[in-house]
Structures are given as C-alpha cells and as structure tokens.
Amino acid sequence: MLSGHSQKEKEAVVTRRELLKVGLAAGGSALLSGGKYGRASSLFDDSVQRSPVLTPFIDPLPAIHTLPELTRVQPGFTDVTPYARPFVGDAAKDPVHATKHFHIAVRERYVQFHSQLPPTLAWTYVDASLDPNSVGSGLISFRYPRIELGQPAGGGFLVRVSNELVTGRRSFGLPTMTVHFHGGHQPSPADGFPHDLAKVPVGFPDRVTVPARANATAPIQFFDYVYPFRDVGLFDGPEDPGERPSFYWFHDHCLDFTGPNVYRGIAHVAPAFDDLDPGDETDPAGLGLPSGEFDLPLVLQDKIFDSNGALVFDQLNGDGVLGDTFLVNGVVQPAHHVKRRKYRIRLLNGSNARVYQLFITNDAGASFPLTQIATEGGLLAAPVTRSSIQLAMAERAEFVFDFGAFDSSTKALYLENRLAQTDGRKPDGLVSRGTKLLKFYLDSDRVVDSRPLPTELRPLTAITLAQIKAAEPRSFEFDRSDGVFTINGKPVDIEAPILVKRNTPQLWHFENSSGGWWHPIHVHCEFMRVIRRNGVTPPAYERDGMAKKDTILLRDGDSIDMYITFRDFPGPFVFHCHNLEHEDMAMMLRYDVVD
Amino acid sequence: MGKAGESTANRFPNVVLRTHDDRTVRFYDDVVKDKLVIITFMFTSCTSQCPRNTANLAKLQDALGNRFGRDVFLISISVDPERDTPAALKAYAARFGAKPGWTFLTGRIDDIDAIQRALGVYDRRDPAPHTGMAIYGNDALGQWAATPIMQNADSLARIVLRLASPR
C-alpha cells in the first residue's frame, strides 16, 4: 500500500498533522518565552522527544548489498561526460584494464525505517535498474576490484548518476545532486564539487551538479563520476603503496543543502579491498580479517519522524540538527544474530551533527574492549585496543570483536552510544547508561573462526621530521563571528579559492577558536597525516605512522597540525566542517590545486 | 503516509511590520508566502558590516536582472526598530539605490526577535544581533538555506536562483 489512502484516512492523517503542528508551535512559544537563552536556532527544542516511540530490536539489521545489486553496464556508455573520457579504459583494446561502468539513480521512494512506522518518503541512491515501485531500505553498495601490487588495478570505475527527482515539490532539501565519494582520491570534476561555477577554471566542467527534472516526463539528467582507483604513481610517477582501500562512503554535497539532502537519505557506503585486505578471510595472502557475513558495515544516523512517518528537519537550525531516533543501516534500533566468533565491524557516523561514543555492552551495563583496526584512511599500522570509540560526523572506525569470547550465559550484547548530546553545537558528556543502537543476539554454537588478528596490519611510514620542516606551513582558524561560521575570518565564497601548489607537501595548522562548538574538519582529495594534537603527539588511533584521516575532530579549543600533499589532480576542491549544518552555514573553504 | 518537508509550516511568525514606504504588512502573509525571498538583518546606524552588506545587496538586485522584483524579492529587516522608522529606512533604501522588489521592514522589537528566532539567526549574546548571512528560501517549495552576504553578487544570484519555482 504505497498510495491510496481512503478519504477518511486522509482526513485522519491531516488531523494528526494539524495536531502535530500545534504541538510544534506550542514548543516554539515555550522557547520564545525564554528557556534557552542565546540559542541561535529556534524551532525545536532538541531535548524533547518528538518522534513516535518505537519498540527497539524488533527489526533485523539490513545487510549492505554489494556489487551484484548494481547494474553493471556493458560494454559501457557511449555518451560519457567529456572530462571523464581520458580515464576510461577501452575494453576492446585492453580487456584487463577496462573501466567498469555502473549506473545509480537518485530516486524518491518509500522506505520502511521501522516496522511500527508508516513508510517514509525518502531520497535514495538506488540501482538504476530497480523497480521504481519497490519498498526497501534503499541501501546499495559496491566493491572495488582487487588491486594487485605493481599492477594497474583495472581501469577503475565510471559511475553514472541519474537524477530522477522532480523539482517543484514542496519539501526540504534541494533536489540538485552532486555526489562526493568521501575518502576517495578522484579528479576534481568527479569529486562532487558543491556548485556550478560562474568563473570556471580551465579544464573544469561548466556543469558538475545534476538538476532535477521540471516534471515527471522531462528528460532525466546525469553526470558521470570517474573513480580511477589506481595508485597515484600510475599517473605520473612511481607507484604509491599508501593509496589503498578503506571504508568509503558517498553522499550529496550540494552547496547550502548538504544537510537536508543527506538527512533525506542521499548517502551510502562503499567498502573496498585489495591483496592485503581481500575480503576473504581464508585467502592465505591476506591478513585473514573476518569477511563475508562476519564483516558488518554499520551506518549510524539519527532522525526525527512525525506520526505519519514523515521526516522532520529544521533547515534553519545552524547549530546542527539532532534526531531523537537512532538508525543503523537505515532501520531504527535493529537486531542482528551473530555467531560466536570474531567479527569485523565497520562504523560510519552518517549523522548530520551528532557525535557518538560507542561501547559494546551487556544487559548489566558492563562494557568490553574493542580492537580498532582501521580509520577513514584504511587499516591502521597495528591494532589498537580501546574501551570505546568516539566517532565524529563522517569519521569511520573499524574494530574486531570476538563474540566467541563469551560463554553461553551471554545471550545478548549491544552497540551502545554513551555520549549524550542535546545541542548541535557539541555533546554534553558521557553517561553511564546510553542509547542501545543495535542488539546482537548470541544464539548459535561456536563456529569456525578467522585466524588470530595479526599484530601488524598495513605498514605506514611516518612522515619524517625533515619532511615536516620542509613542508609549506599554513594556518586555518575555525571560528564564529557575527553569527557566521568562518575559516580564517571568512565564510565560504565558492568563487574565491585559495591556491595550493600541486605535489608540494603542506603542514596545515587547524585551530578551533569558536568557543563552545565542535568541528570535524574534512579535507577532500588526500588523506591527512596527523602530526600533533594540541601541540603533543596524538593518540595512536589518529597519529601519523599509525593512521591516515580524512576527517579530524576539533573539539572546542583544539588545535591540529597535519601533513598533506595534493599529489596529482589539479583543480577546485573544498575542505569544510562535517557538522553538515555548519558546512551549509558556510564553514567551508575552496582550494584549487595548481602548478 | 508521510511526505517529508512539512516541518517548516508555521515556522514564520505572521507579525505586523511597517515597510520603508510606510505600508503595513504581515510577515508571513505579505512578505514570505509563496515567494522566493532573500532575508537580511541590518540597522541604519550600523557602521561596521551593514553598509558593505547593503552595498553588496544593491549589486545583487542588478545581478538578478529582470527576475528581481518578479521571481525574487529582497527583504532587509531592522534589528534597531525603535530608531529605524519607516522614514529612516526610506532614506537608507534611497542611499543604496534600492529598486522595487527590495523592502526594508521595521516593527516591534519583540516581533523582530521572533522573526530572528524563526530564521535561526537570533543570538541574544550579540549586542548588535544581526548576521552576515542572508537567509533565502522559496516558501512555495518549503526550501530554506543561508549564504554569506559578502560574496560576489553574480555568484549570490546564481546560488539563490537555484530555488526559483519551475515556470
């Protein structure tokens, strides 16, 4: 039943909506009478539960579908977006290195976020061949090919994204799409640049965003994203073995509208593999990390629903939009049956403004150590044991957890967030009993396990002191003045870049002077090597030599020194706060990589 | 069954305001409803950011070309309404060459506070509570966002026109 309410039902729906509006208005006036002084946002009190109360752990955790879900278009597209053509391998001439073609559609569809909620109209990335009328979680993914050391890793990928949304419908968010492959190293036209530029740099396309259709019969527009996914050195120098798979995600990046667009569903994950991390625990050449059903990507998000299941979003809350309902892989507080053995658990904070601190806990409230193995930049040099993992927006962390370490008296464990947050600005602090996001049922006997976790994962040579001294220093201050988020005193001007020299090592100093706001800063195109946090050596899970980062959290007053080299792709990129409301409220800077 | 996007209904206080040409208007019914608007906050005696912001908005009306005053409207609301009478706003508008389609508004301080709160730009800690951000939105489509006033006017026009209703 996707449409077709009876008239009576429609009236009932309208009545409930009206009631809800009254409720919101009343909440608004309570706020106006001055409960929260000095608050920049207005409409909602984030500490109030507005969504329907839903029974947790009754819906199964959706699996992340992988490559077979996607239409692999062969032999390929004949009308490839011009900038991408040089990257496309010719299957006829060189079948081994042929570029693989995929087709994703951005589609409005009903998604069942919880079995007690009516289906919700969401925007989703879907396999373009999917039946337009199907109901589903909207989750798709794809895996990169195995990369052989010393060999070109095939011709990479070309992903066509068609925007099937229609303009002119009353809704929050802007249905103009631009896809950022987050963590990926791709040419600037394929990076999901936020806006079509008026002053177009040489070699950059006039149009990089994909507008929605004026009506349902108008032609569907598309853009081709090329992800070469080759070692950097294959373009113009020796191979760089540091360019390796990680837990990527992709999401919309539309200027001023990234927050609402991502919240409406325009985000997905893409794990990638190579010879060392082949996604097959039985492969003797690999590290033997848990694979297949034992490799669990978990996308954490928070949303607000009204009683009809509709998404609620305050587009002018510049502090950061918090939800009161927690989802994992697009389902509210799901449950998952696990085997008694080791799992690889991949976490993505896909929320707009919420920071998580994640524990594995039991019913008695005890928590158990996690062995972290990866960040945004892929595998760590060595595993790091932690009692919990704090995860800011867009950050990823992977850990190995052994459900086989528990005896048969343990029937359930939880992924629990113990970081309370009632304001988009920053979390309130740790609590002893948090929100259980996901329930693991331990209901099987012990099964065949993967090999013991190696003590070394992916070697990473630390940047030397000499390299750091030779790097070009630059300083960026993240602040807020006159009600505007700024970087070095300025809000974003998408037509006014700073210039960064290609293949010239940079030592960037980030400083959060904004007083009371947390800012996870995401730099596009290249990974960051974190040299210092607040003037001293950073913790093992983020410091250079152990980890690479694409998003680094600046708590209030924090400073970071990081090393980065924009090795090859020229042109415009951005870095920005990944509190999506801060980003949309102009906390972004365009940089152009130039010779 | 839930359609997204109705969350901003009722967000705009329908308060009574006075325009720079001394007309009485209601904020939602007459200023925002069904229109694509760019809303900024200022006061005429401001010597810091308002003059340059207002000068850039004057360029924006030109950058919007023939769509200005027809498809897109500019609204500047005084945060010092006791001093900024309609006459003061009229003089200010004339000084910056405001064209038809650009309305300056004044009113009761509490009502203007309410508008600022509704638009997410209220900050009582700020002694001069105005902002360098322009709030822009198309009420007919329910789409709202913010963008810095101080950027290239052509760029600002391109950003805002993304929200124009299909014709």
Side-chain angles (χ1 to χ4, degrees):
Chain A
M1 191 210 61
L2 291 178
S3 50
H5 283 293
S6 71
Q7 191 55 41
K8 208 167 188 178
E9 281 168 329
K10 273 181 190 157
E11 282 163 14
V13 166
V14 168
T15 307
R16 283 202 300 278
R17 256 178 218 155
E18 293 305 319
L19 281 173
L20 186 79
K21 282 178 191 170
V22 172
L24 289 180
S29 36
L31 207 57
L32 292 184
S33 61
K36 281 198 164 188
Y37 217 51
R39 195 178 151 66
S41 64
S42 55
L43 189 60
F44 301 139
D45 182 343
D46 289 327
S47 59
V48 173
Q49 168 85 25
R50 288 190 310 283
S51 298
V53 175
L54 304 167
T55 310
F57 320 130
I58 59 172
D59 291 320
L61 175 76
I64 303 272
H65 303 306
T66 53
L67 188 132
E69 281 283 303
L70 276 181
T71 308
R72 183 162 148 178
V73 182
Q74 295 292 6
F77 305 113
T78 53
D79 52 348
V80 169
T81 307
Y83 90 87
R85 284 177 198 150
F87 296 97
V88 177
D90 186 340
K93 287 181 188 155
D94 183 358
V96 175
H97 302 133
T99 297
K100 295 175 180 66
H101 292 65
F102 297 92
H103 194 178
I104 290 175
V106 180
R107 199 171 278 169
E108 186 171 57
R109 64 204 289 253
Y110 282 98
V111 172
Q112 188 87 42
F113 284 110
H114 189 275
S115 51
Q116 293 165 340
L117 267 182
T120 300
L121 204 53
W123 291 350
T124 55
Y125 292 124
V126 295
D127 179 340
S129 68
L130 208 64
D131 175 1
N133 296 317
S134 66
V135 178
S137 69
L139 290 172
I140 53 160
S141 187
F142 54 92
R143 290 178 188 228
Y144 280 97
R146 183 167 172 149
I147 297 177
E148 304 293 344
L149 273 173
Q151 296 288 321
F157 289 77
L158 186 120
V159 179
R160 170 159 296 183
V161 176
S162 294
N163 185 356
E164 298 184 6
L165 302 176
V166 176
T167 62
R169 292 207 183 146
R170 186 176 170 80
S171 66
F172 65 81
L174 189 70
T176 299
M177 295 291 115
T178 177
V179 183
H180 176 51
F181 192 70
H182 187 127
H185 180 77
Q186 52 265 351
S188 122
D191 194 51
F193 195 75
H195 190 57
D196 296 333
L197 290 169
K199 290 176 279 182
V200 186
V202 176
F204 197 70
D206 291 345
R207 183 176 73 73
V208 289
T209 69
V210 194
R213 294 175 284 170
N215 58 64
T217 55
I220 295 166
Q221 305 207 50
F222 68 86
F223 191 81
D224 291 331
Y225 294 86
V226 67
Y227 304 127
F229 212 69
R230 285 177 280 188
D231 281 344
V232 169
L234 293 173
F235 290 101
D236 54 4
E239 179 188 337
D240 183 344
E243 184 68 17
R244 286 296 160 187
S246 70
F247 183 34
Y248 301 103
W249 67 304
F250 53 105
H251 60 81
D252 188 62
H253 211 299
C254 184
L255 186 71
D256 305 340
F257 285 92
T258 297
N261 286 0
V262 169
Y263 184 92
R264 291 198 71 173
I266 310 293
H268 214 285
V269 296
F273 300 93
D274 73 343
D275 50 336
L276 189 65
D277 183 12
D280 176 0
E281 64 190 36
T282 66
D283 183 341
L287 292 170
L289 297 171
S291 65
E293 65 169 301
F294 310 111
D295 176 352
L296 274 187
L298 302 178
V299 182
L300 311 181
Q301 293 179 310
D302 53 336
K303 297 185 190 298
I304 301 170
F305 300 96
D306 73 12
S307 55
N308 303 304
L311 287 167
V312 176
F313 187 86
D314 181 356
Q315 292 173 102
L316 292 173
N317 176 350
D319 291 353
V321 173
L322 298 173
D324 57 14
T325 302
F326 292 84
L327 298 91
V328 182
N329 292 357
V331 163
V332 177
Q333 292 172 289
H336 191 61
H337 293 264
V338 292
K339 305 269 170 36
R340 293 182 186 268
R341 54 152 284 162
K342 287 198 291 297
Y343 276 70
R344 174 184 192 163
I345 296 178
R346 304 170 186 253
L347 301 171
L348 159 67
N349 181 344
S351 283
N352 284 36
R354 183 176 293 278
V355 183
Y356 296 81
Q357 190 141 351
L358 299 154
F359 295 75
I360 298 282
T361 60
N362 65 11
D363 283 306
S367 70
F368 304 94
L370 320 166
T371 306
Q372 188 174 349
I373 58 164
T375 60
E376 304 94 75
L379 293 173
L380 296 168
V384 177
T385 301
R386 303 178 67 182
S387 57
S388 65
I389 293 177
Q390 190 179 82
L391 208 61
M393 296 73 84
E395 281 190 308
R396 281 90 78 207
E398 299 178 34
F399 64 92
V400 168
F401 192 79
D402 188 0
F403 292 102
F406 297 85
D407 67 27
S408 59
S409 67
T410 299
K411 306 283 188 212
L413 291 169
Y414 302 90
L415 180 70
E416 181 174 334
N417 174 34
R418 289 185 171 173
L419 194 57
Q421 189 171 359
T422 51
D423 189 316
R425 295 172 182 219
K426 64 172 180 180
D428 307 334
L430 282 173
V431 290
S432 56
R433 288 295 179 103
T435 304
K436 295 178 169 76
L437 307 177
L438 169 64
K439 182 172 188 174
F440 297 105
Y441 285 107
L442 286 68
D443 51 6
S444 79
D445 292 330
R446 205 169 290 273
V447 298
V448 176
D449 204 350
S450 56
R451 306 202 293 270
L453 187 62
T455 52
E456 285 185 4
L457 297 169
R458 192 184 300 282
L460 178 62
T461 307
I463 304 298
T464 64
L465 200 58
Q467 285 175 298
I468 292 167
K469 281 184 176 159
E472 215 168 77
R474 217 157 187 167
S475 200
F476 299 97
E477 199 177 336
F478 299 85
D479 205 350
R480 185 178 166 91
S481 60
D482 293 330
V484 181
F485 290 113
T486 58
I487 302 176
N488 282 353
K490 289 179 185 159
V492 68
D493 182 342
I494 205 69
E495 300 286 349
I498 63 162
L499 303 180
V500 180
K501 264 187 239 153
R502 179 152 72 155
N503 211 18
T504 305
Q506 306 282 309
L507 186 68
W508 285 7
H509 179 76
F510 286 167
E511 191 147 344
N512 178 6
S513 340
S514 59
W517 306 77
W518 285 21
H519 299 303
I521 304 302
H522 171 45
V523 181
H524 288 214
C525 191
E526 296 280 1
F527 287 113
M528 296 181 268
R529 304 290 198 98
V530 185
I531 308 295
R532 281 182 293 271
R533 176 181 281 279
N534 298 327
V536 298
T537 304
Y541 50 82
E542 66 179 19
R543 74 164 169 257
D544 182 38
M546 280 290 288
K548 295 177 290 176
K549 298 283 288 175
D550 70 28
T551 306
I552 190 79
L553 176 61
L554 298 177
R555 301 176 188 89
D556 39 344
D558 273 5
S559 71
I560 289 287
D561 294 282
M562 68 89 170
Y563 182 98
I564 193 166
T565 308
F566 299 94
R567 293 166 295 179
D568 46 8
F569 299 124
F573 294 95
V574 288
F575 70 85
H576 57 87
C577 181
H578 222 286
N579 176 317
L580 296 181
E581 282 66 63
H582 299 181
E583 174 188 342
D584 285 339
M585 293 282 173
M587 197 169 224
M588 179 154 71
L589 186 76
R590 170 180 157 198
Y591 62 92
D592 285 11
V593 177
V594 296
D595 284 322
Chain B
M1 196 159 314
K3 281 196 188 295
E6 292 165 90
S7 61
T8 52
N10 286 6
R11 88 169 295 152
F12 303 107
N14 201 17
V15 294
V16 174
L17 301 168
R18 302 286 294 171
T19 71
H20 68 281
D21 46 13
D22 211 21
R23 285 180 298 122
T24 298
V25 291
R26 282 195 172 269
F27 181 65
Y28 181 71
D29 288 347
D30 302 321
V31 177
V32 170
K33 191 178 176 185
D34 293 335
K35 294 189 187 73
L36 172 51
V37 292
I38 305 162
I39 302 173
T40 66
F41 294 89
M42 44 64 68
F43 57 103
T44 59
S45 60
C46 169
T47 54
S48 57
Q49 55 169 311
C50 302
R52 65 188 165 92
N53 285 351
T54 311
N56 203 46
L57 294 170
K59 289 184 195 164
L60 174 63
Q61 15 170 35
D62 296 332
L64 288 164
N66 63 8
R67 304 192 74 170
F68 184 66
R70 189 184 67 185
D71 300 328
V72 192
F73 300 88
L74 197 45
I75 311 298
S76 293
I77 303 176
S78 173
V79 293
D80 184 14
E82 277 153 19
R83 282 198 282 180
D84 286 343
T85 60
L89 291 177
K90 186 170 190 173
Y92 194 77
R95 179 143 69 92
F96 286 94
K99 295 176 179 173
W102 190 352
T103 306
F104 290 75
L105 294 170
T106 186
R108 289 177 55 240
I109 185 92
D110 288 351
D111 291 340
I112 285 169
D113 274 3
I115 292 171
Q116 286 200 291
R117 288 173 195 271
L119 296 181
V121 295
Y122 180 83
D123 195 339
R124 192 32 97 204
R125 294 170 307 175
D126 189 342
H130 57 330
T131 169
M133 299 297 278
I135 306 297
Y136 66 103
N138 184 336
D139 177 64
L141 298 178
Q143 294 166 343
W144 289 90
T147 188
I149 299 169
M150 286 311 298
Q151 59 182 317
N152 178 286
D154 291 329
S155 175
L156 196 49
R158 283 164 63 89
I159 286 168
V160 171
L161 285 174
R162 294 179 302 167
L163 269 59
S165 297
R167 284 187 289 173

